[in-house]
Amino acid sequence: MLYFRFRRRTGDEIRSDLWIDGRGLSLDGLIAGLGGRSEILGEGTDRLKSGDAGDLRFLARRLGDWKLPTSVGMAPMSELFEIEVREEPRLGSVLNSEYVLILEGDFRRVDGLCSETSLGTTIVLGDVGDRFGGGQRGGSLVLIGDAGNDALSGKRDGLALFVGSVGEGFASPAPGELSGLRGGDSFVFGNVGGRACERMRRGSVFLSGDVGKYLAHRWIAGTIYVDGRIDRHWCAGMRRGSLLLRQQQQHNSGGTLTRSRQCELSFLPILWKYVRDLLEPWSALGLQNDLLEWERRVRLQESVLRFLDRLPNGPRAVRCFGDVECDGQGEVLYFSESVGLDVASHTVACI
């Protein structure tokens, strides 16, 4: 397993307000820029072609010579980051990845970080700017920190875990596109800004915190689970999809919903098991201290375990449909333990 680590440089020689275009800084970008897998690794082996430390230092120097656009012109990555490349067979077996990238530091002025990721595991330790993970097509993205606006815009596939809050436009359409999220599984263990999951077409999104206005506006399809509270105008213009709500919502929906009825849905236990199986490796992640220090590792594990502890596990729900005004057939599911269901009448007014 090949391991890359980029630490954001700090100090008087680095301007803290320097803006960086980070779209080229992703595992896909690194591997492609180094000539691809066959150029870096010997075919059929997990070791470097010659297998000595000199090759690793040479790769680090090559990466350091790359230039990224900044607000003051093109800058070599060696001036922006401390770069380390090494082999970590044990880490590869833990994360089940051939490549691992760890980005550490303050990336709030770096836009488009990890764009078009499709392979390996990327772990970011620190806050990031706008458009983080845009166009993700596979692999795993783990952010332990807060994200700016338009995170995961245009995402198509892969796993994303956010241990922190995200801004406006989460998992919404990329510029020039009509559809938002198109696949994969995305988790946010924190609060989410407005206009999240706009025009979502497929995939699953799980949100543990509070969500801003216009959640799932003009929703096409997919599954969204919300543990916290949602601001106004959620699901306005929804066509299909399943919105699963763990809490009773105080604010009105933006769509017109039918009356609700108690039901038992066979797909719910399957969904809960799928989520638990997906997160189980991250709930007991064991990494060397120099790769992911104890405090951040504990933060990741506690966020996952807290989410799983509150996740429902049964088939019972209170169900309604909408948006009726646009002939939408999307479903909204409340869980009986959180909506004060009157079991005798088996009905509850939609909120």
Side-chain angles (χ1 to χ4, degrees), residues 31-342:
I31 300 303
L34 292 174
R37 180 187 184 281
S38 60
E39 181 68 21
I40 301 171
L41 301 173
E43 292 296 335
T45 177
D46 289 333
R47 295 194 57 78
L48 291 170
K49 283 184 174 180
S50 61
D52 60 33
D55 290 318
L56 297 171
R57 289 193 293 268
F58 173 70
L59 291 180
R61 288 195 299 270
R62 283 181 59 185
L63 294 175
D65 291 337
W66 287 9
K67 295 184 178 181
L68 293 176
T70 74
S71 53
V72 294
M74 303 296 290
M77 287 208 290
S78 59
E79 295 182 2
L80 305 173
F81 307 98
E82 298 176 7
I83 302 173
E84 179 185 6
V85 182
R86 70 190 195 211
E87 286 188 285
E88 287 287 351
R90 288 187 302 163
L91 182 61
S93 62
V94 170
L95 296 176
N96 193 29
S97 296
E98 188 174 31
Y99 303 104
V100 174
L101 169 63
I102 294 184
L103 301 167
E104 183 177 2
D106 185 353
F107 295 92
R108 288 175 295 179
R109 297 282 291 172
V110 181
D111 286 358
L113 191 66
C114 302
S115 294
E116 303 293 332
T117 293
S118 68
L119 54 80
T121 298
T122 300
I123 302 176
V124 183
L125 310 175
D127 298 338
V128 299
D130 295 341
R131 292 175 288 279
F132 171 76
Q136 183 186 6
R137 294 175 287 130
S140 298
L141 290 176
V142 180
L143 170 64
I144 305 180
D146 295 335
N149 297 328
D150 301 319
L152 300 186
S153 62
K155 175 178 174 173
R156 296 174 181 267
D157 204 352
L159 173 67
L161 304 178
F162 289 73
V163 185
S165 297
V166 299
E168 304 278 324
F170 173 74
S172 291
E177 295 186 353
L178 297 178
S179 298
L181 187 72
R182 303 183 196 180
D185 300 290
S186 306
F187 295 81
V188 179
F189 306 122
N191 298 327
V192 179
R195 307 202 77 90
C197 304
E198 182 175 355
R199 295 191 63 85
M200 176 176 169
R201 179 169 288 277
R202 63 177 63 89
S204 301
V205 174
F206 303 89
L207 310 175
S208 70
D210 296 334
V211 184
K213 295 180 180 179
Y214 298 103
L215 170 68
H217 180 55
R218 297 184 295 170
W219 192 5
I220 301 171
T223 301
I224 301 174
Y225 170 86
V226 181
D227 193 350
R229 298 195 176 275
I230 311 173
D231 210 334
R232 297 182 183 275
H233 311 306
W234 45 275
C235 291
M238 70 184 297
R239 293 290 184 177
R240 297 187 302 278
S242 298
L243 176 64
L244 286 59
L245 300 177
R246 181 66 175 76
Q247 295 189 31
Q248 185 175 0
Q249 301 301 312
Q250 294 180 342
H251 295 298
N252 294 330
S253 166
T256 301
L257 306 176
T258 64
R259 286 186 61 84
S260 302
R261 293 185 179 275
Q262 183 185 10
C263 61
E264 292 191 8
L265 302 173
S266 59
F267 85 90
L268 286 175
I270 299 173
L271 175 64
W272 307 140
K273 183 180 185 305
Y274 172 77
V275 173
R276 287 183 165 86
D277 291 345
L278 195 64
L279 292 180
E280 191 275 335
W282 299 96
S283 66
L285 189 65
L287 294 174
Q288 301 96 313
N289 289 337
D290 62 331
L291 298 180
L292 190 61
E293 71 274 13
W294 180 83
E295 182 178 353
R296 284 188 168 119
R297 188 166 66 248
V298 168
R299 183 180 173 187
L300 171 61
Q301 293 171 345
E302 287 184 345
S303 297
V304 172
L305 290 172
R306 189 181 307 113
F307 176 82
L308 291 175
D309 185 59
R310 289 183 54 81
L311 196 68
N313 55 25
R316 297 182 60 197
V318 176
R319 188 187 205 184
C320 57
F321 295 93
D323 184 345
V324 174
E325 292 187 2
C326 64
D327 298 322
Q329 295 298 311
E331 62 179 353
V332 178
L333 304 178
Y334 300 91
F335 299 99
S336 56
E337 63 267 29
S338 61
V339 299
L341 177 68
D342 182 353

